[in-house]
Amino acid sequence: GTPVQEALYRAATLLVAASPCAVVISVPAAILSALSAAARGGVLFKGGAALETLAEVRAYAFDKTGTLTTGRAEVTAIAAADEEHLLALLAGIEAQSEHPIADAVRRAAAARGISPVPVWGEETTPSEGITGTDAEGPIWAGNRRMAARMGAALEAPGLAALDEGAETVVYLGRADRLIGALSVADAARPTSAAGLDALRGAGVAEIALMTGDRRPVAMRIGLAMGLRPAEIHAELLPADKVALVAALAEKGRVAFVGDGVNDAAALARADVGIAMGAAGSEVALQAADVAFLSEDMTRLAAA
C-alpha cells in the first residue's frame, strides 16, 4: 500500500545502508568490463575517464599517413642524375627515422643492394623533413617547405612529372643545391572507408582528415574514403593541426587519431587522443589516451 515513489526511495535507502560496497563497486566494475571488451577488440584505454569521454565525442580528426593509410609506402619514381647515389644518401639520412616514408626509402635501397651513406647528427623538423651531416658536409631531405627554407631551386631531370602527380615527393639537397627527388605512394587501409561510414552511422557529426602532405595526395586519399573536399586539410604544420582540433573542440568533444611525432601535440589537445599503437611512434603513444592496435578501422566505431 506504500506509494511507488516512497517505496523506491526506501528500497534505495536499504540498499545503500545494507550493502554500500556493492553499490559503490558497480561503477568501476562496469568500466572494467567495458575496458576489457574494448581491449579484446584491439582498443586499449588508459583509464575509465577516456572511455567515458569517448562516449561524448561527436567529431573525429584523423592523420593520414599510417592512420587512414597502411603506412607501408613504396617508392614509385626517382628524379635524379644518379639514382643510386640519391638512394644511398636518402637511406643514410633516414636510417634512424620512424616515419613510414623513411621505411619506404630504406626498403627501396635494400632492394637494389645499395648501402646507406653514413650520416650523423640527424635532426627532425616536424612537417618539413630531416637534416644531418655526411662526409661531404650538411645534407637535408624533406618536402617543399624544407626545400624553400634551404633556398633550393626545385629543378632536376624528371622533377616536373613528380610534382604534377598525386603522390608524396621527398627532395634531397645540400644547402641551396638540389640533388634530386623521389615520389612515394601509400595505399588506404582496406577498412578505412567502412570505418568512417560506421562512425557517421554511430552519430559522429564531423570527420576531418589532417595531414602535412601535399593537397593532391590528401585529396586522392580523402575522396576515395568518401570525405568531402571541405573535410580534407593538407600541408599542415603540427601547430595547424592543434588549431584545427581546437576549432572542432569549440563545438563539442573531439577525438584525434594519429600515429607520428607530428601528431603528438594534436593528440594531447584533443579531448581523447587515439594513437595507432601497432605502427605509431613512442611519442604519440605517450601523448594519447587510447592505443588502437587493430588493423580494422570499424573497431573504432565499435569502441
Side-chain angles (χ1 to χ4, degrees), residues 37-38 41 43 45 51 54 60 195 198-199 202 292 296-303:
V43 183
F45 289 88
L51 181 77
L54 190 64
Y60 276 78
L199 284 174
F292 187 65
D296 184 356
M297 292 297 285
T298 60
R299 292 285 187 176
L300 196 55

Side-chain angles (χ1 to χ4, degrees), residues 27-301:
V27 173
I31 288 177
L32 285 172
S33 176
L35 294 177
S36 176
R40 287 195 296 273
V43 183
L44 306 182
F45 289 88
K46 290 186 179 179
L51 181 77
E52 293 182 304
T53 305
L54 190 64
E56 302 172 7
V57 167
R58 291 297 175 268
Y60 276 78
F62 289 86
D63 173 50
K64 178 181 70 65
T65 306
T67 302
L68 291 177
T69 65
T70 61
R72 187 172 174 80
E74 299 290 342
V75 173
T76 56
I78 300 175
D82 186 341
E83 293 188 4
E84 291 196 358
H85 182 58
L86 177 84
L87 274 176
L89 287 172
L90 269 176
I93 196 171
E94 300 279 18
Q96 305 302 322
S97 174
E98 296 179 322
H99 200 281
I101 290 176
D103 181 52
V105 169
R106 292 192 295 265
R107 282 187 283 108
R112 296 194 185 194
I114 298 171
S115 300
V117 171
V119 177
W120 56 90
E122 297 95 335
E123 290 187 11
T124 299
T125 303
S127 292
E128 283 194 11
I130 189 168
T131 59
T133 304
D134 68 357
E136 296 183 36
I139 191 170
W140 56 266
N143 57 20
R144 275 183 169 270
R145 193 178 287 116
M146 171 158 279
R149 182 159 65 84
M150 296 297 178
L154 299 182
E155 298 176 359
L159 188 58
L162 297 189
D163 285 337
E164 291 170 3
E167 297 177 347
T168 304
V169 180
V170 180
Y171 303 94
L172 176 73
R174 295 186 188 278
D176 61 354
R177 180 172 67 88
L178 185 70
I179 297 173
L182 56 76
S183 61
V184 175
D186 191 9
R189 289 184 187 275
T191 58
S192 287
L196 298 186
D197 287 342
L199 284 174
R200 293 192 196 277
V204 174
E206 293 191 58
I207 294 178
L209 184 155
M210 301 180 184
T211 179
D213 215 334
R214 299 188 306 132
R215 185 154 189 84
V217 183
M219 292 294 285
R220 174 175 64 86
I221 296 295
L223 294 177
M225 295 180 184
L227 294 176
R228 299 185 300 274
E231 296 176 317
I232 301 170
H233 308 274
E235 300 177 13
L236 302 177
L237 292 167
D240 298 328
K241 291 184 180 181
V242 173
L244 286 170
V245 169
L248 289 173
E250 292 178 359
K251 306 173 187 177
R253 298 285 195 178
V254 59
F256 184 89
V257 189
D259 76 306
V261 174
N262 296 346
D263 305 321
L267 286 165
R269 174 61 184 84
D271 295 295
V272 180
I274 304 173
M276 300 298 291
S281 69
E282 183 68 22
V283 175
L285 288 169
Q286 290 294 333
D289 307 294
V290 182
F292 187 65
L293 301 179
S294 175
E295 293 292 321
D296 184 356
M297 292 297 285
T298 60
R299 292 285 187 176
L300 196 55

